C-alpha cells in the first residue's frame, strides 16, 4: 500500500574527473621528484666516498713514506706498512689498490693508486696520492766541539757567572 520507493541513480565517473582537475597530480609529481631526489643523494654519497678515499690514500702514502724513510729501513717495509694501513682503514673503500715505494739515498716517494667504491651506476672513480719524505741517516758528531767563543764545550754559566 503506501511504500515509498527511492530512485537509484547511476554514479558517473566522468563527472568526478571534470569536478577535480588536480586529481592524480600528486602521484605524477612523486613519479618525477622521487627519482631525482634519489639520484642527487647518490651523487652526494659518491662525492663523499671519493673525498674520503683521497684522504685515506694520502694517509696511507704518508704512513708508507714514514716507514720507508726510517733509519736502515727499506722500500719493502714502507710498502708493507702502506698496504697494512689500507687493509685496516679502508678494506672495501679502495679496491684495486697499489702502493709503489721508491727509495733512493736521500728521499722516499710513495704513490698510492686505487679505485673508489662506486654507488653511481656506470661510474668509475679513482684516486692517485703521493707523499715524499727525507731518508733518516746517521751522522757522526765531531768530538772537537767548541762554542762560538772558541772555548771548550763547558757551560760558561757553571762558573757561577
Amino acid at each position: 500500500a503506501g511504500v515509498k520507493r527511492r530512485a537509484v541513480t547511476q554514479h558517473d565517473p566522468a563527472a568526478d574527473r571534470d569536478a577535480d582537475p588536480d586529481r592524480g597530480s600528486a602521484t605524477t609529481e612523486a613519479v618525477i621528484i622521487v627519482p631525482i631526489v634519489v639520484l642527487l643523494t647518490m651523487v652526494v654519497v659518491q662525492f663523499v666516498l671519493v673525498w674520503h678515499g683521497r684522504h685515506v690514500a694520502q694517509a696511507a702514502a704518508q704512513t708508507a713514506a714514514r716507514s720507508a724513510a726510517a733509519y736502515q729501513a727499506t722500500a719493502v717495509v714502507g710498502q708493507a706498512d702502506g698496504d697494512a694501513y689500507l687493509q685496516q682503514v679502508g678494506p672495501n673503500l679502495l679496491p684495486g689498490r697499489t702502493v709503489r715505494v721508491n727509495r733512493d739515498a736521500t728521499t722516499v716517494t710513495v704513490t698510492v693508486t686505487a679505485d673508489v667504491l662506486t654507488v653511481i651506476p656506470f661510474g668509475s672513480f679513482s684516486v692517485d696520492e703521493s707523499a715524499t719524505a727525507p731518508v733518516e741517516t746517521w751522522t757522526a758528531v765531531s768530538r772537537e766541539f767548541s762554542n762560538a767563543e772558541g772555548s771548550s764545550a763547558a757551560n760558561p754559566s757553571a762558573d757561577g757567572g
Side-chain angles (χ1 to χ4, degrees):
V3 178
K4 291 187 179 179
R5 295 189 181 204
R6 190 187 317 171
V8 178
T9 60
Q10 294 281 344
H11 179 68
D12 185 13
D16 286 345
R17 268 192 308 264
D18 294 339
D20 188 10
D22 291 335
R23 183 176 175 161
S25 64
T27 304
T28 305
E29 290 171 2
V31 165
I32 294 170
I33 297 297
V34 170
I36 291 172
V37 169
V38 169
L39 183 62
L40 287 176
T41 302
M42 289 173 62
V43 168
V44 169
V45 168
Q46 186 65 60
F47 174 77
V48 169
L49 287 172
V50 171
W51 181 80
H52 182 58
R54 287 188 63 205
H55 285 84
V56 168
Q58 182 65 41
Q62 290 171 347
T63 299
R66 263 193 309 276
S67 296
Y71 180 65
Q72 294 184 339
T74 63
V76 174
V77 170
Q79 184 172 3
D81 283 353
D83 284 332
Y85 183 87
L86 288 172
Q87 182 61 36
Q88 185 177 31
V89 174
N92 298 320
L93 174 65
L94 300 173
R97 57 188 174 256
T98 58
V99 178
R100 289 186 307 275
V101 179
N102 182 20
R103 178 184 163 125
D104 60 24
T106 58
T107 59
V108 172
T109 303
V110 178
T111 304
V112 175
T113 306
D115 298 326
V116 179
L117 181 67
T118 305
V119 295
I120 296 178
F122 312 113
S124 176
F125 302 93
S126 63
V127 293
D128 187 13
E129 298 295 324
S130 297
T132 304
V135 173
E136 294 177 1
T137 57
W138 183 77
T139 306
V141 177
S142 172
R143 292 192 178 265
E144 297 178 16
F145 175 78
S146 63
N147 63 18
E149 297 172 355
S151 64
S152 68
N155 185 354
S157 64
D159 299 339

